[in-house]
Amino acid sequence: IALTPGDRLMLFTDGVSDVQDANENDFGEKRLIELLRIHRELGAVELQRKVIDSITTFSHGQFLDDVTLVLLAVQ
C-alpha cells in the first residue's frame, strides 16, 4: 500500500482487541478503530501510549494475552 503524510498504520496482536473489562466485554476492534479515529492527529509514540492507556484502563490492568502494538505515523 502507498502511505501518504498523515496516514497511520497500526499492527497489533489479538491481545489488544480481546482485552476484557470486569463484565467480560471485549475492548473489540470497533472501539479500537474509534479510538484511533479520534486521536489520528497524534504521532506514533503518543498514539501508541493512548491505545495502551485505554486498554489498561478498560481492563483494570488485567491482560489475559500478550499485548503487542506497532504504530507508524507517516509525516
Side-chain angles (χ1 to χ4, degrees), residues 24-74:
E24 298 184 358
N25 297 307
D26 288 348
F27 191 78
E29 289 183 15
K30 286 182 182 179
R31 187 173 284 136
L32 183 57
I33 290 168
E34 182 64 11
L35 177 68
L36 295 172
R37 188 190 66 72
I38 291 169
H39 299 287
R40 67 182 172 259
E41 77 287 346
L42 296 177
V45 173
E46 296 87 2
L47 190 51
Q48 183 180 40
R49 176 57 35 211
K50 180 63 77 175
V51 172
I52 295 297
D53 288 349
S54 295
I55 65 172
T56 300
T57 299
F58 184 81
S59 68
H60 301 286
Q62 300 297 311
F63 298 152
L64 304 174
D65 197 357
D66 67 294
V67 171
T68 304
L69 173 64
V70 176
L71 243 150
L72 174 74
V74 179

